[in-house]
Amino acid sequence: MAFPTVNGSNLLRQKLSLPQDFQGRFNLIFVAFQQWQQREVDSWMALASELEEFFDGLAIYELPTIQNKNFFYKTLINEGMRAGIPNPKSREHTITLYLDKADFRSALEMNDEAHIYVLVIDQKGNEYFRTRGALNAGNEAVLRQTLEQLFQ
């Protein structure tokens, strides 16, 4: 499965084309579809930070994925997120995708929006790991094992 080419802007207002603009050799991606899913993303953040420090070449990204809307709606959402995320690195690595969510989910074989998706991909969009929902011991173990194999 390959991550499709999509365009978005991070919270520093930089336009990016993904997956090629991901900075890591491998990238741990959190795809969220609903605002309440930030709790699921947050459940991963301590582990994600630990892994990013341990594995040189791993980058962490949050991709709030929102149905394409008009300019004013996008501005309101983006500025609201910017206000809530003061850390410059977090702003750089939070990339909002405004697109046809059904098409995006279909391209990635994501059946629904009930939970976040967590992926490890490279800059070409090749996928190496996938799970959904909040962090638990099982998906943590598989993620660690995957990263250890990738970074050997």
Side-chain angles (χ1 to χ4, degrees):
M1 166 110 29
F3 193 90
T5 299
V6 293
N7 297 309
S9 295
N10 65 19
L11 296 182
L12 295 177
R13 299 184 183 104
Q14 298 166 322
K15 295 183 186 301
L16 301 163
S17 182
L18 307 177
Q20 57 266 28
D21 286 339
F22 285 134
Q23 295 173 0
R25 178 174 158 215
F26 295 100
N27 303 278
L28 179 58
I29 310 298
F30 299 93
V31 181
F33 299 99
Q34 308 293 330
Q35 184 176 7
W36 70 265
Q37 291 172 340
Q38 187 62 45
R39 290 188 305 266
E40 289 185 350
V41 172
D42 290 345
S43 74
W44 287 86
M45 283 299 108
L47 173 64
S49 294
E50 173 192 325
L51 295 172
E52 188 176 35
E53 288 293 317
F54 186 80
F55 293 104
D56 186 35
L58 179 68
I60 310 302
Y61 290 92
E62 291 185 46
L63 303 181
T65 304
I66 301 169
Q67 187 65 36
N68 201 9
K69 301 284 185 181
N70 68 48
F71 172 79
F72 296 108
Y73 181 83
K74 291 177 188 179
T75 301
L76 179 67
I77 295 294
N78 286 347
E79 293 309 309
M81 284 192 289
R82 279 178 52 78
I85 303 174
N87 181 293
K89 182 177 179 186
S90 295
R91 284 182 176 184
E92 179 182 11
H93 288 256
T94 300
I95 303 167
T96 308
L97 303 179
Y98 292 98
L99 41 69
D100 184 307
K101 291 195 302 182
D103 288 348
F104 180 70
R105 285 191 355 262
S106 177
L108 285 169
E109 297 180 10
M110 296 175 170
N111 296 329
D112 59 46
E113 299 180 12
H115 295 279
I116 66 168
Y117 284 80
V118 182
L119 311 171
V120 172
I121 64 170
D122 62 20
Q123 288 180 316
K124 294 180 181 176
N126 299 310
E127 183 179 313
Y128 299 90
F129 170 86
R130 173 188 291 231
T131 194
R132 19 183 343 243
L135 177 66
N136 62 49
N139 54 29
E140 176 180 350
V142 174
L143 174 60
R144 285 181 184 275
Q145 180 181 17
T146 301
L147 292 174
E148 287 171 8
Q149 291 172 349
L150 290 171
F151 283 97
Q152 282 185 351

